[in-house]
Amino acid sequence: MNISVLTLFPEWILQGVNISVVGRAIQNELLTVSAINIRDFSYDKHKRVDDYPYGGGAGMVMQAAPIYRAYQTLMDKIQSTKSKVKMIYCTPQGDPFDQKMAEKYSKEEELIFLCGHYEGIDERVLEMIEMDWVSIGDYVLTGGELPALVMIDSIARLIPGVLHNQDSANQESFQGSLLEYPHYTRPQSFQGKTVPDVLLSGHHEKIENWRREQSVLRTFERRKRLLDQADLSEKEKEQIAQWESEKGL
Ligand code: 6GU
């Protein structure tokens, strides 16, 4: 997969992706990440990319032209390779990003992220470019770079070969809409707190059952709404009904 990020802060993106699992994926050529500086596409002699908002008000607005030129230049390059392209606009006005979207995007060949800054981007360029508008949550950030890095991380780990143990991509939290079970490693006793006996039993089926039950219980206790989309057995549904009646729900 090739990821391109249109941004005013290319070094922010590059520093963010060259670390840990995503950094290794890039080194292993499973992924490329390039950051394109929108400022390079300003025709202004001072390389300006923003201006005052028509109608007045606080803050500056990113101009349409440099973004559109950066986009066009990138698209010309990508389309000569005949790959299909998906573009994502990082904005708090977008659809909430979730694991399903990460899975969908991980199957793309070419992804482009557009990161805004200041108060926003001239609406006309947003109308001209076909993009998915995506948000990473209901809070205000200074720009789209951290959201782009968040999404790149969650997408990259789903690309085959990126995780050493591809199982862990499948088993982790949210796969099947359940939170992950608790983990333990040595020592067996830490400040008097011991590891659950079942994990020391060597009995694989019992361990699997315990972990599954813990996943369902955690999801019930912490993120009840996720259970609506989870794949649950009849026995698990009964168990949940019992927990609910115990809690007087
Ligand atoms: Cl995706 N972008 C920006 N700029 N701010 C955000 C966001 C995205 N998600 C939450 N806040």
Side-chain angles (χ1 to χ4, degrees), residues 151-213:
M151 291 187 252
I152 290 168
D153 189 286
S154 70
I155 293 163
R157 65 184 288 289
L158 297 173
I159 297 170
V162 168
L163 295 184
H164 282 317
N165 179 1
Q166 202 58 39
D167 274 358
S168 47
N170 301 322
Q171 275 183 20
E172 275 169 30
S173 294
F174 293 111
Q175 222 80 26
S177 295
L178 292 175
L179 300 184
E180 226 180 337
Y181 54 78
H183 302 277
Y184 300 88
T185 188
R186 287 189 289 184
Q188 224 184 95
S189 176
F190 173 67
Q191 297 194 7
K193 289 167 76 67
T194 56
V195 174
D197 284 337
V198 60
L199 299 178
L200 310 173
S201 68
H203 196 302
H204 293 298
E205 196 184 323
K206 277 191 188 157
I207 291 170
E208 277 318 295
N209 291 342
W210 180 84
R211 285 178 167 169
R212 172 78 190 182
E213 189 183 291

Side-chain angles (χ1 to χ4, degrees), residues 120-163:
I121 295 179
D122 189 310
E123 191 68 19
R124 292 167 294 183
V125 72
L126 300 176
E127 290 168 6
M128 290 165 70
I129 305 175
E130 160 70 25
M131 299 181 284
D132 291 354
W133 290 30
V134 184
S135 165
I136 64 161
D138 290 337
Y139 38 82
V140 180
L141 296 167
T142 57
E145 284 76 13
L146 288 171
L149 288 169
V150 165
M151 291 187 252
I152 290 168
D153 189 286
S154 70
I155 293 163
R157 65 184 288 289
L158 297 173
I159 297 170
V162 168
L163 295 184

